[in-house]
Amino acid sequence: MESSTSPRDTLSSLVHGDSYREALPRLTEIFAPELFARPSGLADQDRHALTYQRLRHINDQLDTSTPLLTQRDLLFPLLEWVALADPSLFYAFFLHHCTTVGALLEFGADRDDLDDILARLASTETVGALLMTELGHGNSNAAVRTEAVYDPDTREFVLTTPGPEAVKYPPSVACPGLDRLGIVTAKLVVGGQDRGLFCFIVPLRDTTGPCPGVVIEPQDSAPILPLDWATVSFHGVRVPYRNWLRDSASIAEDGTFTDTLSTPALRSRQASRLIRYVWEVAAVGLAAVTRASAAIAVRHAHARYTNGTFAGFADPMPVIRYRNQQRTLFGALSAAYVSALAAKSFTGPEPAGRSAGEIRTLFTLKAEIDRIAERVTADTRAASGVLGFSPANRFLDYQGLAHAFNAAGLSTQVLHLNAAWTMALGFDYEPPADDTTTRDLDLRDPARWRALAGTRERRLHERLVAELGAARAAGLGEFDVWNDRFDLAEQLAEAHALRLLVDLAVTETDALSDPGARRPALDLCSLHLLGEISAHSGWYLAEGLLTAEEAASLPGLLDRICADVAPHALRLADALDVPYDLVGAPIAHPEYASAFTKTAFTASDGAAPDDTTVTESALADPA
C-alpha cells in the first residue's frame, strides 16, 4: 500500500453518494447532539415516550407534504442518522414512514379518499404501525388467521381474531397517550368465501386508550431494543369500506367481489410487496451501525494502551499493534466498507419495476448486510474490552438493531433459502462461468476473487439442481426433496452473496477518480472478501481451485494486508462519515478517559492535567 492515501472525500465516496452530501446540512440541523443524547436510567414508559417525541421532532423539521417515502434522496440519509442516534427510534421511524405510509401508497394508489389519513400520518398527529405476523406462525405471513368479514348491510368489515394463535405480535403500540393507526393484514371473507389477504387501515388507540374492540396487551421491552412491544387482538372491530386497501379488487353494492388477481393465493402474495421497504431500510440502517461500530473500535484501539506479557511489560503500546486486534478490527473496517457499498447500491431512485433477479439481489444483500452487522457489532464490542460492554459506547445498542432485523422482513435464513429456491428454478438467473483460467493469478488480484467466488456459486448451483432432480426422480414429495438440502441451499445463497459483494467492491473501487485511492480501498475491501474465501479454503482445495500452498498461505496473506492497512487505518475509519458527536461514544475520542467521566482531575490528584494516557496491565495480550 502506498504511504499516502487518497483524500477523505474520495474514500468516503465509496460509502455515500452525492445525495448524502446534499442532505448533510439538514441532518446537522435536525440531529442536535443534546436532543439525541443516549437515554440512560429511564423507566420503560418514559423511554417509549421519548422515542415518539423524537419522531415528532424530526417530522417537525421536514416538509412532509410529500411522503418521505417518495423523497428517497432525503429518506435514506435520514434513516442512517436515526439508526446511529437511536436504534429504537429507527424502528419506530421506519414502521411509520415506510411500512405504514408505504401500504397506503402501494395499495391505495390513485385514491384521493385517503388524503386525510396520509396528512395525519405526515404530521405524526397519528403514528403508524404494521401488524402482519401472528403468534401462532412466527415470521410467516402466509398463514394469517385474522379475519375481515364483509357486512353487505353496512358496507363495513368486521375484524376478528379467532384465537390466540392469530394474535398480532410484535407491534410496538403499547405506549399510552398517543393516537395510533395500524396497517393490519387479514383474510378477507366475502359471501362466506376466502378472498385472500388484504391490508386494512385500523385505528388502534387514541390519547385516552385502545379503540373499542381492540385489545392491546403490553409485553416486556427488550433491553437491546427498547420499544413498546405488545400483542394486539380484534373483537368485532368495524372497519369502514374506505379503510380497505383494496388494490385492484372491489366489492359492488350488490356484494359482488371482483379482483384482477384470479385466486386468493395470488392475492395473498401481494401483501409481501411491503417487504421490499423493510429490506431497503434494514440495509441502510444496518450498514450505518456497522460503520459506526468499526470506526469507534478502530479509533479506540489507537488510544487504548496495554502492558502485555508478550511485550515483556515494556513501555505501553496501543492495542492496535497486536496482529490479532488488527485482524479483528481491520476486518470489521473492511466489512463496514463492503456493507456500505451494498447498501448504497439500492438507495437511488426506486425502479418502476424490479425483475425477479433484482428482487433476489435486494433481499440477498439485506441478508448479507445483517449477517455482517451482527458479526461486526459483536466483534468490535469484544475487541474493545470491558469498555465495549458499556452501553454508552453504543456497541450493544447497535448489536440489538442487527439482531432485531435478522427476523424483520423474513429472517436471514429464510431469505437465503428463498434465493437458492429461485436460482434452482432458474428465475431470472444464469449461473456464473466456471472459471479456471485465473489459477496462476496472485490471490490479491481481484480477477482471482471473481473467479473463485463465481466458480463456487456455479458448482454449488449445479450440485443443488442435480440433487433436487434426483430426489424428485426417486418419487419424493417437495418437502422431502428440499428438507435434506437446506444446508446446501444456504451455502449456494451465501456464495451468491459473496459474488455480488466482490463485483460491487471491484467495480466501485475501479471507478474512484483518484488513482492513489484505488489500491488502498481495494486492499481494505480484500480483507473481508479474502476472509470469506479463506473460510471455505477446504472446499476450494478439494475442488482444485486453490493449491495446498495457497490455502496454507491465506492467514499470512491477511496479516500482510493488515500491515499495509495499519498506517492508514484512522483515515480509513474517519472516511466512513460517522458523526461522532451524535453517536456520543466516549471511547471514540483520543482522550477517552476524560470523555467518559464528568469528574475533574488536577495535578493535585497525582497526575498532570494533560496526562490522559490509559494503560492496562494484562496477564496475556488482548484477544
Side-chain angles (χ1 to χ4, degrees):
M1 185 179 261
E2 298 177 11
S3 58
S4 61
T5 61
S6 62
R8 171 178 166 159
D9 284 350
T10 304
L11 282 171
S12 66
S13 69
L14 290 172
V15 178
H16 289 121
D18 293 339
S19 62
Y20 180 86
R21 308 276 169 231
E22 293 166 5
L24 269 177
R26 299 295 312 282
L27 298 177
T28 54
E29 289 174 9
I30 293 168
F31 291 92
E34 63 274 12
L35 296 179
F36 287 89
R38 186 185 183 279
S40 179
L42 292 180
D44 280 352
Q45 190 162 307
D46 293 332
R47 177 66 178 92
H48 305 331
L50 177 62
T51 296
Y52 296 108
Q53 289 167 14
R54 287 176 167 180
L55 177 65
R56 179 159 290 182
H57 163 77
I58 294 173
N59 222 70
D60 289 347
Q61 313 305 309
L62 303 171
D63 176 9
T64 54
S65 57
T66 300
L68 270 178
L69 195 59
T70 66
Q71 302 181 55
R72 291 168 68 93
D73 285 353
L74 176 59
L75 174 65
F76 289 116
L78 267 173
L79 286 166
E80 289 190 33
W81 278 46
V82 173
L84 295 174
D86 185 345
S88 295
L89 174 61
F90 176 83
Y91 214 89
F93 187 97
F94 108 83
L95 288 172
H96 177 79
H97 281 293
C98 299
T99 59
T100 305
V101 173
L104 271 72
L105 299 179
E106 186 81 19
F107 302 120
D110 303 320
R111 285 179 54 185
D112 56 14
D113 62 329
L114 300 176
D115 289 349
D116 61 321
I117 298 175
L118 282 167
R120 292 208 316 273
L121 291 169
S123 68
T124 60
E125 175 187 340
T126 295
V127 178
L130 185 65
L131 287 77
M132 295 184 76
T133 54
E134 298 177 351
L135 273 174
H137 296 278
N139 270 30
S140 175
N141 296 316
V144 168
R145 304 288 183 88
T146 303
E147 290 188 347
V149 179
Y150 178 66
D151 182 347
D153 294 332
T154 61
R155 282 186 69 75
E156 293 176 322
F157 303 91
V158 181
L159 197 62
T160 302
T161 301
E165 76 286 348
V167 169
K168 296 293 185 181
Y169 179 79
S172 51
V173 295
C175 186
L178 295 173
D179 193 275
R180 302 301 305 269
L181 178 150
I183 301 298
V184 179
T185 55
K187 179 172 63 176
L188 174 62
V189 178
V190 181
Q193 292 187 319
D194 175 6
R195 301 297 186 174
L197 296 185
F198 284 87
C199 292
F200 295 83
I201 305 167
V202 184
L204 300 175
R205 66 187 312 150
D206 58 24
T207 55
T208 64
C211 296
V214 179
V215 176
I216 298 174
E217 299 181 71
Q219 301 295 315
D220 286 345
S221 180
I224 59 173
L225 191 69
L227 271 170
D228 52 329
W229 307 112
T231 56
V232 180
S233 56
F234 305 97
H235 304 271
V237 176
R238 292 257 165 190
V239 179
Y241 185 86
R242 76 137 179 175
N243 284 26
W244 174 31
L245 293 176
R246 54 187 179 269
D247 197 25
S248 61
S250 64
I251 303 173
E253 292 286 347
D254 64 2
T256 302
F257 175 85
T258 57
D259 190 357
T260 57
L261 297 174
S262 57
T263 68
L266 288 173
R267 169 51 63 193
S268 295
R269 293 194 193 107
Q270 297 307 300
S272 64
R273 278 154 48 186
L274 293 178
I275 293 177
R276 76 179 188 278
Y277 298 129
V278 183
W279 295 335
E280 290 178 336
V281 166
V284 169
L286 293 174
V289 300
T290 301
R291 295 198 321 273
S293 298
I296 291 167
V298 167
R299 283 168 68 98
H300 178 52
H302 283 79
R304 174 187 170 202
Y305 284 74
T306 184
N307 296 85
T309 301
F310 301 121
F313 291 99
D315 291 337
M317 66 175 66
V319 298
I320 200 64
R321 290 278 304 279
Y322 292 89
R323 193 69 74 206
N324 53 354
Q325 284 274 317
Q326 290 182 358
R327 285 281 292 272
T328 297
L329 295 180
F330 296 164
L333 196 61
S334 174
Y337 270 90
V338 170
S339 66
L341 288 173
K344 188 179 73 170
S345 70
F346 46 77
T347 58
E350 185 173 22
R354 285 187 171 99
S355 67
E358 289 169 333
I359 292 170
R360 180 175 53 245
T361 295
L362 179 60
F363 68 68
T364 299
L365 290 179
K366 179 268 181 186
E368 190 62 16
I369 291 169
D370 183 83
R371 196 166 71 99
I372 288 172
E374 289 198 274
R375 185 173 71 245
V376 167
T377 54
D379 287 352
T380 51
R381 173 185 55 76
S384 299
V386 67
L387 292 180
F389 196 68
S390 166
N393 289 318
R394 306 312 298 267
F395 298 115
L396 291 171
D397 291 342
Y398 296 156
Q399 194 173 356
L401 190 67
H403 288 330
F405 270 101
N406 183 296
L410 299 180
S411 71
T412 294
Q413 185 176 56
V414 170
L415 291 175
H416 280 156
L417 295 175
N418 280 347
W421 178 71
T422 63
M423 290 189 286
L425 292 176
F427 288 164
D428 195 16
Y429 175 73
E430 184 69 33
D434 192 328
D435 185 355
T436 58
T437 64
T438 61
R439 287 179 179 173
D440 294 333
L441 295 180
D442 188 270
L443 282 171
R444 292 185 77 158
D445 191 319
R448 187 79 187 278
W449 314 337
R450 275 181 154 153
L452 288 170
T455 301
R456 175 170 165 81
E457 179 183 336
R458 182 182 184 91
R459 293 188 184 182
L460 289 173
H461 177 263
E462 289 174 345
R463 180 182 162 193
L464 179 62
V465 170
E467 290 195 14
L468 293 172
R472 291 184 182 112
L476 294 179
E478 201 64 13
F479 173 79
D480 292 319
V481 164
W482 279 95
N483 199 33
D484 291 332
R485 291 159 189 85
F486 283 150
D487 183 61
L488 177 57
E490 283 194 78
Q491 290 179 46
L492 170 60
E494 290 170 0
H496 178 60
L498 178 61
R499 179 172 67 86
L500 293 175
L501 293 180
V502 168
D503 286 345
L504 276 171
V506 175
T507 301
E508 289 280 340
T509 53
D510 278 352
L512 288 176
S513 58
D514 184 348
R518 290 179 197 140
R519 188 72 248 175
L522 194 60
D523 275 350
L524 183 64
C525 290
S526 74
L527 277 175
H528 177 74
L529 303 174
L530 281 172
E532 291 290 299
I533 290 170
S534 180
H536 300 290
S537 58
W539 183 92
Y540 287 110
L541 181 62
E543 293 287 319
L545 299 171
L546 286 178
T547 66
E549 292 75 18
E550 286 176 323
S553 73
L554 277 166
L557 174 58
L558 293 172
D559 282 344
R560 290 195 298 277
I561 297 173
C562 284
D564 288 343
V565 168
H568 315 285
L570 281 173
R571 280 176 285 182
L572 289 163
D574 286 342
L576 287 172
D577 291 334
V578 176
Y580 295 110
D581 287 346
L582 178 65
V583 169
I587 62 170
H589 300 280
E591 298 179 0
Y592 68 89
S594 297
F596 207 88
T597 178
K598 298 181 176 65
T599 305
F601 288 88
T602 66
S604 63
D605 296 310
D610 60 349
D611 181 7
T612 57
T613 298
V614 176
T615 65
E616 298 178 2
S617 290
L619 294 177
D621 289 31

